[in-house]
Amino acid sequence: MLETQLIDSIILVVTVFLSAVFTYVIHRSKPLNKKGMVFTFLLVFLAQYTLLNICAHLIAVIAVALIKMRAGTFVYDMRFYTLIQFGVLLAIINGYLFRSVKQICLGREQRFRNLVKACCLQILISLPLFPFNPLSLLPVITSVAIMLLVYVALRKGIFTRKQTLVGLGQEMQLA
């Protein structure tokens, strides 16, 4: 019915392109070194990939429902309700995650706790669904990866404003 491999490939290509564009926009507003650009790209990619996959899931569920409705075989049942409900809930959480990643990349470290809470909430919601749907591991894996990347980036001081000021001060001394 729906060409899932083609859709998954398109989502991957769109995510890579949008992540590169977003990294460039972040870099223009807050100059980053190469390490900062790589961390920004990875964080944005992980947050966007899950968000776009969940949005594609919602579109696919609605498309199948519309096809069944036209054929006269649609039945509103608990399965349809939960597919939509989990999709909307995870899309909201991932939208918040994406916003938190953006804030952290711009140097607002105080968003780290909220990001960890959102990742843990997403893990708690998605992990129990693994026996029923192996794709529910995607939000779990990306949440763990996002938390690890942000933790490493904050420990190394990649997104802090102090690093930019120190670098600027060193450049001024050299000149």
Side-chain angles (χ1 to χ4, degrees):
M1 193 181 302
L2 297 173
E3 226 13 80
T4 58
Q5 289 180 343
L6 177 64
I7 293 170
D8 288 341
S9 300
I10 290 171
I11 290 172
L12 182 64
V13 169
V14 167
T15 305
V16 168
F17 176 73
L18 289 177
S19 298
V21 168
F22 195 80
T23 301
Y24 176 75
V25 169
I26 292 280
H27 177 66
R28 289 202 32 126
S29 64
K30 180 185 181 258
L32 299 166
N33 56 13
K34 293 210 186 274
K35 234 187 240 187
M37 289 181 71
V38 169
F39 271 92
T40 300
F41 179 80
L42 289 174
L43 286 169
V44 169
F45 175 80
L46 289 170
Q48 276 186 350
Y49 188 65
T50 307
L51 180 62
L52 291 177
N53 265 303
I54 289 171
C55 290
H57 159 79
L58 283 171
I59 292 169
V61 168
I62 292 170
V64 168
L66 290 174
I67 290 169
K68 286 183 178 181
M69 199 178 292
R70 289 185 124 218
T73 60
F74 176 74
V75 176
Y76 183 83
D77 56 356
M78 192 64 174
R79 182 180 181 279
F80 176 75
Y81 174 75
T82 55
L83 284 173
I84 295 292
Q85 182 185 25
F86 276 118
V88 169
L89 179 65
L90 289 175
I92 290 169
I93 292 171
N94 277 291
Y96 182 79
L97 257 169
F98 181 72
R99 185 169 175 245
S100 295
V101 164
K102 175 186 167 192
Q103 297 295 321
I104 287 172
C105 291
L106 288 172
R108 297 182 183 100
E109 295 175 20
Q110 67 272 17
R111 298 294 296 207
F112 179 67
R113 288 181 192 234
N114 293 337
L115 180 127
V116 170
K117 288 177 188 176
C119 285
C120 289
L121 179 63
Q122 183 163 287
I123 290 169
L124 287 173
I125 290 171
S126 300
L127 192 58
L129 299 174
F130 170 65
F132 306 111
N133 185 0
L135 286 177
S136 66
L137 280 181
L138 177 67
V140 173
I141 293 169
T142 56
S143 292
V144 170
I146 286 172
M147 286 191 296
L148 288 174
L149 281 171
V150 169
Y151 178 74
V152 168
L154 292 179
R155 290 288 280 174
K156 291 188 178 219
I158 291 175
F159 297 125
T160 59
R161 296 174 192 218
K162 294 175 191 171
Q163 180 192 18
T164 308
L165 294 175
V166 169
L168 183 63
Q170 288 174 348
E171 287 178 14
M172 291 177 72
Q173 286 178 349
L174 294 175

